[in-house]
Amino acid sequence: MKPLLSIRNVTKIYGGVTALNSVSLEVKAGEVLSLVGENGAGKSTLIKVLSGAVIPDEGTIEYEGRTYRQLTPALSKSLGISVVYQELTLCSGLKVYENIFLGAFEGKAGFVDRKAMIKKAQALVDGLGLHLDVRQQMEGLSVAYMQLVEIAKAVSRKARVLVLDEPTAPLTGPETRILFDLVKRLKEGGTAIIFISHRMGEIFEIGDRVAVMRDGSLINIHAVEEITEEQLVKEMLGRVLSKTFPKREFAIGEEILRVEELSNEKVDHISFTLHRGEVLGLGGLVGAGRTETVRTIFGADPRLGGKVFLEGKEVNPQNPREAVELGIAMVPEDRKAHGVVLGLPVSNNICLSVYRRISKFWLVDRKKEEQLVDGMISRLRIKTPHRKLLAGNLSGGNQQKVVLGKCLASESKVLIFDEPTRGIDVGAKQEFYKLINDLAANGLAILMISSEMDELLGMSDRIIVLSEGMMTGELAKEEFSQERIFEYATANL
Amino acid sequence: MAASINKYVKKYMTVVILAIIILFFSVADSKFFTIDNGISILRQVSMLGITAVGMSCCMLVGDINLACGVLQGFSSVVCCLFLANLGVPVILAYVLTLAIGTMAGGVGGAIIVKTGMPALIGTLGIRLIINGGAYLISGGLPIYGLQDNAKWIGQGFILGIPVPVIFLVVFFIIGSVLLNRTYIGRHLFAIGSNAEATRLSGINVDRIRIFAFAFSSFCSSVAGLILMARNASGQPNGGNGGEMNVITACVVGGVSALGGECNPANLIVGVLIIGVLTNGMTILGVNEYWQTVIRGAVLILAVGFDFYQKTRRVRAKVPVRKEETKKD
C-alpha cells in the first residue's frame, strides 16, 4: 500500500540548534503511527512542519503523489492535515456546534443557518459515537470532551491525516477509553493518525507502528508486535553522552535552602534541600510541575501549603520582590517573555533588580550603575559593543547572560535556572556551563531545571525527578542514569 | 547608511514638523512670528504641557489617565472653596488641593491596578466621578471671589515671563529628571517594555503603576490651580475634554500608545505642535470646528506613523534579525 503522506529528509535548524536532522517518515491511510521521544527530541517541530507553522530548511513533503517544499497553515488544512495540539484552540464562549463549524459557517446571504448546522453537527458527533449535545456551551465541557470536539471538528473538515499531540495527558482512564474508541473508528474509516504519547502502554495498545525520535533524528521505526517496551525505552534514551562538561572540584557546603511539603494546584507536597556550592538538577517531562515548583518557591505562583527555609530560617516570600530581597533569584524559562526586557539597554536590564539600592533620594547613582554593568559585562563576557545597546539586539546566549547578570547583581544566595540553555547555540552553551560551575564554586546554591538529559546528567551534583507534580525519585551522582530518570519521570503517568 | 538616515528622520521628525508648521504660519500671517505671540503660545500650552508630563508617565507603563482633564476643573473648584468660602490661607489651600487631587488619582489608580481592569475603562469611571464631584461641590456654578494674591500663579510674571510658563519649564525638568535619573523612571520604562519580566526581577509593579496615576493626577491638579488663577474663579467643567489634547500631544511627542517609550524633550515638541497649530489657526481665523478636525487628523497621523513603524516595518525586518542572532 502506498503511503498517504511521506516526509523526506526534512531538516530544521534554529539559530545553530538542529531541531530536525534529515527526518524521513511515512504514514499510510488507516494506520496509527506512534511517535515517541524525550522532551526536545523534535516531535513538536515535526508536527509544526506538517501543520505549516514551521518551514523546513531542507527536505520535502509528499502528499498523494504531489511534492511540497513547505506547507502553509492554509495549505496544510486544505490538504486535510489536522493537528490537535495540547493547548486546545477552541472558543470557550461559543457552543459546541459553533466551534465545529468555526470558519466554515453554513448559511445564506450572511445569515447563519443554525438549524442546519446543529443537525449536521449532531449527526457528525453521533456518527463518531460520542454522547454529546452539540447545543451545549463549550465552557461546561471537560477537557476530554473539548478534545473530542476538536477531533470532531477535524473530521468535519475531511481530515485525512490527524495528528494528536499528547492527547491523553490530561485525561482520566475512562476518558482515554472514549478517545481510543474514536481513534479506532477513524482509523477504520481510512484516516492516517499520528499519535504522540509518553505512556508506553498506550503506544502498544493503539499504535500499529512506532517511530522513535532522539535529538532531532529519527532513530528507528518498528511494528509494535516486533518490539518490547524495554527496547523502545533503550532506543529513546540510547544516546552516547558525547558532550563534555566542565569538571567541578570543590566541596559542597552547608544547607542553604530547604523546602518542605511545597504544594499548590500543580505541585504536590514536594520536599528537598539545596546546599552551598551544589547544583541540584530538577528532571521530569514537560508538564511535570518543575517550572511551577520553582516559581512557587520564588513567590511568582501562589504557595498554598508547605514551608521554605533559607539558611535555617523559615521565610515566606509572597511575591518575586520578597524572594529577591531574601536572596533568591530566577533565570526564567521563557527568556523573551519573562527574562530579558528586550526594549531596554543592557545596563538597565542588569541593574533592574537593584536600582532602588543604588539610588540616593530617588536619584540613580550613575557611577555605581556603570561600574556594576561594566563589571558584569566583563565577568560574564557579554558580547556587546557598549552598555547602552538594546538587549533585543543581542544574540540569545548573550541575552541569557544579561538575565544572569541581573540575578547576580542582586547578590542572591540561591539561583534558580529554568532551562538555562534553551535556544542557545552549542558554543554559548559550553560557556554557560562554565559560568554555572564558577558560580557554584563561589558558593551559590543552584537549582536547575533541564529537559536536556545530557545537560541534566552532566551539570548536576544531585537530581530530583518530578512526575505529575509529585517527586518520584532522587538520585545521587553515582546513581545517575538516563534509564533511572526516565523511569521516575514516567512513574505517575 | 539608509538605516541611519531613517533613524535621524524618526528622531527629529517632530522637530521638523514643528519647524514646518511655524514656517507656514509665519509666512501666512505677520502677526504670528513675534516674541509676544511666542510667549502667548507658551502660556496657552502651559496647562496642557504640565498635564502631559504626568500623562506621559501613565502612558509609559501602558496605562492612560482619562481623568487628567476634569481633574483640572475639580482642583480649581476645590481650591476656590478653600480660598473664597472657607478663608484658608493661599499656600495652605494650594497644598490641600494638590494633596486631594493626588489622592484621588492614587486611590483610583490603586483600584484599577488591584482589580486588574483596563486603565481606559477605569479612568473613564473616575473621570465621571470627579467631574460629577466638581459640580456637586460648586453647586453647578463657577465659584468667584478669589483674592488677588491667589491669582499670581496664573496671571503673574517673573522677569517678564508669565508664571505658568515658568511652571511649564519646571515640570518638564521634573519629568525629565524623574524619567532619566531616578530609579522610579527606570522602573517605569521597564514595566512599559515588559511588565512580567519586571515583576520577576523583584519590582513592585503595582506600586509603580499606582505612583504613575498619582503623579499624573498631581500634575493635573497643578494645571487646575493655574486654570483657577487665570479665570479668577473655580470652573467645575474646566479642563473637560482637555484629556484629548493631552493624549494627542503625548502621542505626537513620541510617547508610544503601547507603552515603553517616552522622551521628555520630544514630549515638549509634541505639546508645542498642538499649541502652535491652535494659535496659528486662530490667528488665521480658521473656524473652531475645522480646528478640531485638524487636531484629529494630526492624532491619526501620529499614531498611525508610530504603529506603522512598530508593526508593519518590524514584520519586514524579521529575517534580518534572525541573521544577527546567528553570529554570536
Side-chain angles (χ1 to χ4, degrees):
Chain A
M1 201 169 126
K2 264 182 69 184
L4 179 64
L5 172 79
S6 315
I7 298 162
R8 294 208 194 286
N9 303 318
V10 165
T11 297
K12 179 71 196 177
I13 297 169
Y14 287 112
V17 180
T18 308
L20 286 178
N21 183 10
S22 192
V23 171
S24 297
L25 196 64
E26 293 175 345
V27 211
K28 299 185 197 83
E31 80 160 342
V32 176
L33 175 73
S34 303
L35 199 55
V36 297
E38 285 182 284
N39 299 332
K43 294 170 296 181
S44 303
T45 314
L46 189 63
I47 293 175
K48 283 182 187 157
V49 168
L50 289 180
S51 72
V54 162
I55 297 170
D57 295 328
E58 274 168 45
T60 54
I61 300 143
E62 277 174 40
Y63 186 79
E64 291 189 309
R66 293 184 65 179
T67 306
Y68 302 90
R69 285 214 149 272
Q70 63 177 71
L71 299 176
T72 62
L75 178 62
S76 168
K77 268 199 193 113
S78 70
L79 290 176
I81 300 171
S82 212
V83 181
V84 178
Y85 290 104
Q86 271 176 289
E87 304 83 23
L88 300 175
T89 51
L90 296 164
C91 304
S92 57
L94 298 182
K95 295 190 167 58
V96 171
Y97 74 88
E98 289 171 324
N99 266 295
I100 290 176
F101 282 99
L102 194 64
F105 275 160
E106 301 207 340
K108 267 184 202 150
F111 291 96
V112 292
D113 188 348
R114 274 184 58 219
K115 273 188 189 152
M117 284 202 295
I118 292 172
K119 210 170 153 191
K120 267 195 179 176
Q122 193 65 54
L124 173 79
V125 167
D126 291 345
L128 293 172
L130 307 176
H131 301 284
L132 185 68
D133 183 348
V134 294
R135 287 166 299 181
Q136 243 175 302
Q137 201 72 25
M138 206 66 208
E139 276 169 321
L141 297 183
S142 70
V143 181
Y145 268 92
M146 287 189 187
Q147 215 163 43
L148 296 172
V149 170
E150 185 113 53
I151 294 171
K153 184 177 165 185
V155 172
S156 80
R157 304 289 156 83
K158 311 264 180 298
R160 303 200 47 204
V161 178
L162 183 64
V163 184
L164 303 173
D165 187 3
E166 285 198 56
T168 55
L171 304 191
T172 61
E175 289 171 338
T176 304
R177 299 258 51 92
I178 301 174
L179 178 74
F180 279 10
D181 286 343
L182 179 56
V183 168
K184 276 177 197 153
R185 208 182 275 249
L186 292 174
K187 178 182 141 179
E188 280 156 19
T191 311
I193 293 159
I194 298 176
F195 176 82
I196 297 176
S197 177
H198 282 298
R199 297 178 183 172
M200 289 295 147
E202 293 175 354
I203 286 156
F204 285 92
E205 184 190 340
I206 195 85
D208 296 311
R209 293 191 300 151
V210 52
V212 184
M213 289 190 73
R214 188 174 74 213
D215 299 336
S217 299
L218 188 80
I219 300 303
N220 227 329
I221 304 181
H222 306 276
V224 286
E225 304 86 37
E226 294 164 5
I227 190 166
T228 63
E229 203 176 309
E230 257 168 74
Q231 283 172 300
L232 205 56
V233 171
K234 206 168 246 173
E235 281 192 356
M236 276 169 65
L237 305 177
R239 83 169 62 74
V240 186
L241 296 177
S242 58
K243 276 181 221 158
T244 47
F245 287 86
K247 282 236 166 61
R248 228 175 303 144
E249 281 143 359
F250 50 88
I252 286 166
E254 74 278 13
E255 175 190 299
I256 297 282
L257 180 76
R258 178 152 47 94
V259 174
E260 284 180 3
E261 304 282 318
L262 193 74
S263 304
N264 66 14
E265 251 172 67
K266 295 276 181 66
V267 181
D268 196 354
H269 297 88
I270 286 176
S271 308
F272 63 85
T273 56
L274 177 63
H275 303 84
R276 188 184 297 282
E278 181 181 41
V279 178
L280 176 62
L282 207 49
L285 300 171
V286 170
R290 297 169 303 169
T291 297
E292 289 81 358
T293 301
V294 297
R295 279 177 62 93
T296 307
I297 296 170
F298 190 60
D301 282 352
R303 178 156 48 91
L304 302 178
K307 292 175 181 171
V308 177
F309 296 86
L310 198 66
E311 295 181 310
K313 263 193 293 190
E314 186 175 350
V315 293
N316 191 15
Q318 291 294 314
N319 52 45
R321 181 176 55 84
E322 291 177 16
V324 169
E325 273 165 16
L326 286 165
I328 304 172
M330 180 166 79
V331 178
E333 180 180 15
D334 189 340
R335 182 173 64 240
K336 288 188 173 160
H338 300 152
V340 69
V341 183
L342 298 169
L344 286 187
V346 171
S347 59
N348 293 40
N349 266 290
I350 289 178
C351 296
L352 195 50
S353 296
V354 295
Y355 267 128
R356 237 185 135 146
R357 207 181 298 165
I358 59 170
S359 297
K360 251 188 204 158
F361 310 112
W362 286 19
L363 292 175
V364 175
D365 185 337
R366 294 207 282 186
K367 213 167 211 170
K368 268 190 197 159
E369 184 185 16
E370 277 173 24
Q371 279 171 359
L372 187 65
V373 172
D374 289 346
M376 228 29 109
I377 286 175
S378 68
R379 178 177 170 194
L380 301 179
R381 290 183 292 278
I382 300 170
K383 282 185 201 118
T384 173
H386 48 90
R387 58 179 110 80
K388 288 287 168 205
L389 188 78
L390 293 189
N393 294 334
L394 293 176
S395 70
N398 281 304
Q399 284 179 7
Q400 192 74 333
K401 284 184 187 173
V402 168
V403 181
L404 177 58
K406 176 179 73 186
C407 292
L408 296 178
S410 65
E411 289 165 5
S412 41
K413 301 163 200 152
V414 176
L415 201 47
I416 299 168
F417 285 103
D418 194 350
E419 304 285 1
T421 62
R422 171 162 294 175
I424 296 182
D425 68 49
V426 181
K429 268 186 183 182
Q430 282 299 323
E431 226 186 317
F432 224 83
Y433 295 145
K434 282 200 197 94
L435 278 176
I436 292 176
N437 275 350
D438 289 347
L439 296 174
N442 285 331
L444 254 79
I446 293 168
L447 184 57
M448 182 187 78
I449 296 178
S450 179
S451 291
E452 286 183 39
M453 191 64 98
D454 51 357
E455 179 175 290
L456 191 65
L457 293 168
M459 288 303 297
S460 309
D461 294 306
R462 194 156 52 93
I463 295 173
I464 57 176
V465 185
L466 306 190
S467 176
E468 301 287 295
M470 272 185 252
M471 193 169 134
T472 46
E474 177 169 354
L475 297 166
K477 188 117 195 164
E478 49 293 354
E479 302 170 301
F480 283 5
S481 79
Q482 300 187 50
E483 288 77 12
R484 290 283 292 277
I485 291 173
F486 188 78
E487 183 194 323
Y488 288 139
T490 52
N492 283 349
L493 290 185
Chain B
M1 190 59 198
S4 70
I5 289 173
N6 219 327
K7 221 170 108 186
Y8 276 101
V9 168
K10 213 197 151 189
K11 200 170 177 187
Y12 296 110
M13 179 88 148
T14 44
V15 181
V16 172
I17 290 173
L18 178 62
I20 291 172
I21 294 171
I22 290 176
L23 195 71
F24 171 77
F25 285 125
S26 305
V27 173
D29 198 312
S30 61
K31 288 194 291 291
F32 178 80
F33 201 78
T34 60
I35 291 177
D36 276 355
N37 193 44
I39 287 180
S40 160
I41 289 173
L42 286 176
R43 188 162 49 193
Q44 282 161 7
V45 299
S46 60
M47 291 183 290
L48 171 69
I50 292 167
T51 313
V53 169
M55 177 68 110
S56 69
C57 290
C58 262
M59 289 179 72
L60 178 55
V61 292
D63 289 327
I64 201 160
N65 186 1
L66 293 183
C68 72
V70 295
L71 254 165
Q72 295 173 8
F74 175 81
S75 301
S76 77
V77 168
V78 168
C79 193
C80 258
L81 186 79
F82 282 131
L83 290 169
N85 297 10
L86 302 175
V88 176
V90 175
I91 295 296
L92 184 61
Y94 283 177
V95 170
L96 284 173
T97 305
L98 294 181
I100 290 169
T102 310
M103 277 271 286
V107 170
I111 293 169
I112 288 166
V113 170
K114 295 295 179 193
T115 58
M117 69 171 109
L120 190 76
I121 307 300
T123 55
L124 188 65
I126 293 164
R127 184 187 174 284
L128 292 172
I129 292 171
I130 293 201
N131 193 215
Y135 277 115
L136 285 174
I137 292 169
S138 66
L141 296 169
I143 302 177
Y144 293 101
L146 215 57
Q147 57 268 56
D148 280 344
N149 58 352
K151 294 174 189 164
W152 176 81
I153 190 173
Q155 300 179 359
F157 289 86
I158 297 176
L159 301 172
I161 302 166
V163 175
V165 176
I166 290 169
F167 265 82
L168 176 67
V169 174
V170 167
F171 267 78
F172 267 96
I173 294 170
I174 291 176
S176 197
V177 169
L178 179 76
L179 290 180
N180 295 329
R181 296 288 166 87
T182 68
Y183 73 85
I184 291 178
R186 300 283 209 274
H187 290 177
L188 288 169
F189 274 104
I191 293 167
S193 301
N194 187 337
E196 181 60 12
T198 309
R199 184 177 86 96
L200 292 176
S201 301
I203 285 152
N204 194 334
V205 171
D206 289 2
R207 197 187 289 169
I208 299 285
R209 283 178 63 200
I210 294 169
F211 167 84
F213 280 117
F215 179 67
S216 166
S217 305
F218 170 74
C219 292
S220 296
S221 294
V222 172
L225 294 182
I226 293 172
L227 176 81
M228 172 200 76
R230 280 185 66 178
N231 292 331
S233 61
Q235 301 284 347
N237 209 30
N240 193 352
E243 62 273 8
M244 296 308 161
N245 274 341
V246 173
I247 296 168
T248 309
C250 284
V251 174
V252 172
V255 180
S256 169
L258 295 173
E261 255 175 67
C262 173
N263 175 1
N266 240 338
L267 179 62
I268 198 157
V269 177
V271 169
L272 286 176
I273 286 178
I274 300 299
V276 168
L277 263 181
T278 310
N279 174 282
M281 289 192 291
T282 310
I283 288 181
L284 290 186
V286 177
N287 101 24
E288 201 170 317
Y289 306 138
W290 271 113
Q291 291 192 19
T292 311
V293 170
I294 288 167
R295 275 201 300 270
V298 169
L299 177 72
I300 295 284
L301 268 174
V303 182
F305 184 74
D306 178 38
F307 272 74
Y308 180 79
Q309 287 278 340
K310 278 208 189 95
T311 53
R312 304 294 298 262
R313 273 286 195 68
V314 165
R315 231 176 277 155
K317 267 187 202 159
V318 166
V320 183
R321 269 214 179 148
K322 258 187 190 165
E323 287 300 312
E324 278 171 6
T325 50
K326 266 184 191 169
K327 0 168 191 159
D328 199 301

